[in-house]
Amino acid sequence: MPIAIIGVDLIPGMCPLWYAVMQVVCMLPVIRVAFITRGSALRAAFPKRR
């Protein structure tokens, strides 16, 4: 999802600069949560069952 947002924001004239900046600011917590949930500590807490 963050890659799609960046792609749309890079299209010239698609949205105003302030809107693109706000999307990037709001996207930062999403990226942080993605890295936290993919971390080794969380995977160790919930091991895969076979």
Side-chain angles (χ1 to χ4, degrees), residues 1-9 23 26-31 34:
M1 184 172 84
I3 295 170
I5 292 171
I6 291 171
V8 170
D9 288 343
Q23 281 188 328
C26 293
M27 183 178 51
L28 294 176
V30 173
I31 293 172

Side-chain angles (χ1 to χ4, degrees), residues 2-22:
I3 295 170
I5 292 171
I6 291 171
V8 170
D9 288 343
L10 291 177
I11 298 172
M14 185 66 141
C15 56
L17 180 62
W18 66 267
Y19 186 76
V21 170
M22 289 305 298

Side-chain angles (χ1 to χ4, degrees), residues 30-46:
V30 173
I31 293 172
R32 181 180 166 113
V33 169
F35 278 109
I36 290 171
T37 57
R38 304 264 315 166
S40 59
L42 191 60
R43 274 189 256 143
F46 298 99

